[in-house]
């Protein structure tokens, strides 16, 4: 059975409709130093547990989403539109 992602626009959709694009990290300020930008672009943690990632609903609404999932169990706990911080869909 495929896992379902609670898209805030399309409702629960199969995981296969999405493309994972990476960690949802806070972007540095435009005037941040080179070291801070280097860390943001190239260095990633590999945490075990709760993690937020950018996902693209490639075969659906084509919106960018922030998906909160557990990296150990792959359980999705929430999903929100990356552009709208107020619209959250819990799994």
């Amino acid at each position: 059975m495929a896992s379902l992602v609670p898209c805030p626009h399309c409702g629960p959709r199969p995981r296969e409709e999405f493309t994972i694009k990476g960690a949802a990290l806070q972007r540095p300020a435009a005037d941040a130093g080179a070291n801070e930008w280097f860390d943001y672009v190239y260095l990633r943690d590999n945490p075990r547990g709760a993690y937020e990632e950018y996902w693209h609903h490639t075969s659906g609404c084509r919106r960018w989403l922030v998906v909160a999932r557990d990296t150990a169990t792959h359980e999705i706990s929430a999903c929100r539109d990356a552009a709208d911080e107020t619209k959250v869909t819990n799994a």
Side-chain angles (χ1 to χ4, degrees):
M1 179 164 82
S3 59
L4 296 178
V5 177
C7 177
H9 304 286
C10 305
R13 304 300 304 159
R15 189 308 192 195
E16 292 78 16
E17 290 187 4
F18 297 83
T19 304
I20 301 174
K21 294 296 183 177
L25 302 174
Q26 181 68 36
R27 185 182 174 110
D31 61 350
N35 288 339
E36 192 172 348
W37 276 105
F38 180 88
D39 290 352
Y40 173 74
V41 173
Y42 296 109
L43 301 180
R44 296 287 180 264
D45 292 331
N46 189 14
R48 180 176 175 87
Y51 197 59
E52 288 191 337
E53 300 167 309
Y54 286 116
W55 288 32
H56 186 244
H57 196 172
T58 313
S59 298
C61 60
R62 304 197 50 83
R63 299 286 302 187
W64 283 99
L65 308 172
V66 177
V67 175
R69 72 176 182 95
D70 187 298
T71 60
T73 64
H74 301 289
E75 180 181 345
I76 294 173
S77 59
C79 182
R80 67 179 187 269
D81 190 297
D84 183 5
E85 293 294 324
T86 62
K87 189 173 187 178
V88 176
T89 303
N90 292 324

